[in-house]
Amino acid sequence: MLPLPRLVRARLRTSSSRAAFSARPVAPRGSDPEAGAGVSDAIVRLVAAGGSNLEADLDRLNPALSHRLVATTLRALTDRGVPASRFFAWASLRRGFVPSADAHNLLVDNAGKVADYPAMSRALALMSERRLLLTDRAFAFLAPQGSSRNGSVEDAARAVLKALDDVGGPCHASGVFSLIKALATIGEFGAAVAVIEETARTARHYNVLVAAKCKAGDFIGAREVFDEMRKSGCDPDASTWNYLLGCLLKKGRVAEACGLVESMEKSKNDEIPNSLTYEILAYHACKAGKMDSAMQILDQMFSANLTPRITMHTAFIKGYFYAGRIDDAYKYVSDMSTRDSHSTNRNYSLLAKLLQSSGRVIDAGRVLYELMDKGLRPDHSAYVKVAKDLHKMGRGDLAAELKSMFQSFDVHPDDVG
């Protein structure tokens, strides 16, 4: 299939006698999940009991704090509806421990669960002070199954928005975006729209709703959001169009997808369509086995001076490979080494992995040899798997040559015995 230079026969360096399968690594102290759960349970019991001596009780317990333990404890407190602010403040003062951004988000979630919005404001102020971003994890309490609040989700969202507005600072923008995303994720689109109307009618905010509708397969609902964007004076961007395009193609509505692309091409925005648009089209063509159509899309992309992402190359290589067109997969990889040189390393490495996993180990070695002959280092895991399989099939001579070339890239020579 592929040209392979004469392999240099060289003796293999034997593995170190000290390396043995019986030499098991010792698990670090405190890594036992059950022990960690026990410590977390003890902390939760103390915090739930409350009292004026809580901090002293926690000091006597003297747990070895870790990000995992603190996160587990915060989630447990939230599940039980127990305020976590005192525990968080105590943990923050422990020498050598700084709560993670995730822990701060969990603290906001806890305040929302117990409907303590003053506590939420304090948590948000702390995040702004430390320039930490809010994520939708901070608003998980809005989900009906996880909420013990009285009143509607809209009321809770309004209270969160007020807290964000009062605090302001760096976390305000990420908080508004994450709030909209959290509401859309649980299907509270009315509340999400209300937040958008209260804050800013931006494409980024509306796109959260479009993405959620498309993920649920609701193209009609996504199109309604799209139309609402335009009515409100907010122009859809490339991401908006691409969400709609992907939704249509997943549903097999190819004719409508083509019509949508034509509308995109008529857009006054020079960034529409973008590289992801072509990737979506090519991906679905590859998935359907229409490789020639996919190649036409790729050619159009290059003509538009757009560079494919590595995920697009992956779709082509796998599309050819799983269709049994191995030579075409190799030709694609070879051609892309000149058309898109930045992808060369990963494309060759992927093809080698596919060949190796399908039992075509010598062909995989040829692909890696050609890549290294170009002066490029292959993916380490691909090299190791191919070299080891060559040894197993009695072709240590081929493995030795690959090893000799790979060592020139300043790696450890004993990676493969």
Side-chain angles (χ1 to χ4, degrees):
M1 169 187 143
L2 307 176
L4 178 66
R6 175 66 178 171
L7 294 170
V8 177
R9 288 173 171 77
R11 292 184 61 186
L12 290 173
R13 187 178 301 182
T14 58
S15 300
S16 170
S17 60
R18 291 176 294 177
F21 290 111
S22 60
R24 295 183 178 181
V26 179
R29 293 182 63 184
S31 63
D32 184 353
E34 292 185 4
V39 174
S40 177
D41 289 343
I43 296 173
V44 169
R45 287 194 295 271
L46 288 175
V47 177
S52 59
N53 296 322
L54 172 60
E55 288 76 12
D57 291 338
L58 290 171
D59 286 338
R60 280 189 290 273
L61 182 63
N62 194 28
L65 293 184
S66 67
H67 293 306
R68 180 177 180 179
L69 175 63
V70 169
T72 300
T73 302
L74 288 170
R75 291 191 185 96
L77 290 169
T78 300
D79 288 342
R80 292 183 56 174
V82 177
S85 56
R86 287 181 69 183
F87 163 70
F88 189 90
W90 172 84
S92 300
L93 294 174
R94 298 282 285 184
R95 180 178 298 177
F97 182 77
V98 178
S100 66
D102 182 54
H104 283 81
N105 276 278
L106 290 170
L107 180 63
V108 174
D109 180 41
N110 176 270
K113 177 64 181 289
V114 299
D116 187 349
Y117 291 99
M120 180 181 289
S121 293
R122 292 192 295 272
L124 293 174
L126 187 61
M127 291 188 73
S128 275
E129 178 185 330
R130 297 178 179 177
R131 307 191 72 80
L132 299 175
L133 298 180
L134 280 156
T135 69
D136 50 323
R137 181 65 185 85
F139 307 117
F141 71 92
L142 292 168
Q145 66 272 20
S147 175
S148 60
R149 276 181 295 97
N150 294 321
S152 66
V153 173
E154 288 85 350
D155 291 339
R158 194 174 296 111
V160 170
L161 191 56
K162 183 180 185 304
L164 287 169
D165 288 341
D166 290 344
V167 172
C171 73
H172 183 271
S174 64
V176 170
F177 177 82
S178 296
L179 176 60
I180 295 168
K181 185 177 179 181
L183 291 168
T185 299
I186 61 175
E188 294 287 346
F189 293 101
V193 170
V195 172
I196 292 175
E197 292 174 344
E198 280 286 323
T199 55
R201 298 175 182 270
T202 66
R204 185 169 184 259
H205 288 169
Y206 277 114
N207 283 347
V208 173
L209 308 187
V210 175
K213 294 281 188 181
C214 288
K215 185 177 181 180
D218 182 8
F219 177 79
I220 294 177
R223 187 63 196 239
E224 288 174 350
V225 176
F226 180 90
D227 293 338
E228 176 60 29
M229 289 176 68
R230 286 181 153 177
K231 290 179 182 178
S232 66
C234 176
D235 291 331
D237 61 13
S239 295
T240 322
W241 288 92
N242 287 337
Y243 285 132
L244 296 177
L245 178 63
C247 187
L248 286 174
L249 290 171
K250 284 180 183 178
K251 287 177 166 292
R253 296 160 63 173
V254 179
E256 290 174 81
C258 291
L260 188 69
V261 173
E262 290 179 3
S263 298
M264 294 174 72
E265 292 172 341
K266 295 176 183 178
S267 171
K268 296 179 181 179
N269 189 333
D270 293 336
E271 297 180 359
I272 302 174
N274 63 2
S275 59
L276 184 57
T277 308
Y278 290 99
E279 181 176 328
I280 293 169
L281 292 167
Y283 171 82
H284 284 277
C286 289
K287 189 176 180 180
K290 299 179 179 179
M291 301 306 298
D292 293 340
S293 297
M295 185 56 70
Q296 291 177 0
I297 295 167
L298 180 62
D299 289 338
Q300 289 179 340
M301 185 175 186
F302 278 118
S303 297
N305 293 318
L306 295 172
T307 303
R309 299 192 307 172
I310 192 65
T311 47
M312 188 170 187
H313 293 308
T314 298
F316 272 94
I317 296 167
K318 288 185 175 180
Y320 280 126
F321 190 88
Y322 292 125
R325 297 170 61 177
I326 311 299
D327 289 339
D328 287 331
Y330 169 73
K331 183 179 184 303
Y332 179 88
V333 168
S334 180
D335 289 347
M336 287 304 120
S337 67
T338 56
R339 298 185 74 181
D340 182 20
S341 59
H342 296 293
S343 68
T344 303
N345 180 298
R346 295 184 68 175
N347 287 345
Y348 271 88
S349 295
L350 172 60
L351 180 57
K353 287 181 180 179
L354 292 172
L355 289 166
Q356 177 268 334
S357 63
S358 67
R360 302 179 64 152
V361 183
I362 293 179
D363 284 339
R366 288 170 175 154
V367 169
L368 292 181
Y369 188 101
E370 181 173 327
L371 174 62
M372 289 190 284
D373 197 44
K374 293 176 181 289
L376 297 173
R377 182 183 186 274
D379 177 82
H380 182 263
S381 64
Y383 156 70
V384 170
K385 289 179 181 178
V386 172
K388 286 185 175 180
D389 280 1
L390 286 171
H391 275 295
K392 290 177 183 178
M393 63 188 298
R395 296 307 305 268
D397 57 329
L398 304 185
E401 184 165 4
L402 289 181
K403 182 177 182 179
S404 176
M405 298 183 76
F406 194 76
Q407 287 179 4
S408 67
F409 294 99
D410 194 27
V411 297
H412 295 293
D414 290 326
D415 280 333
V416 178

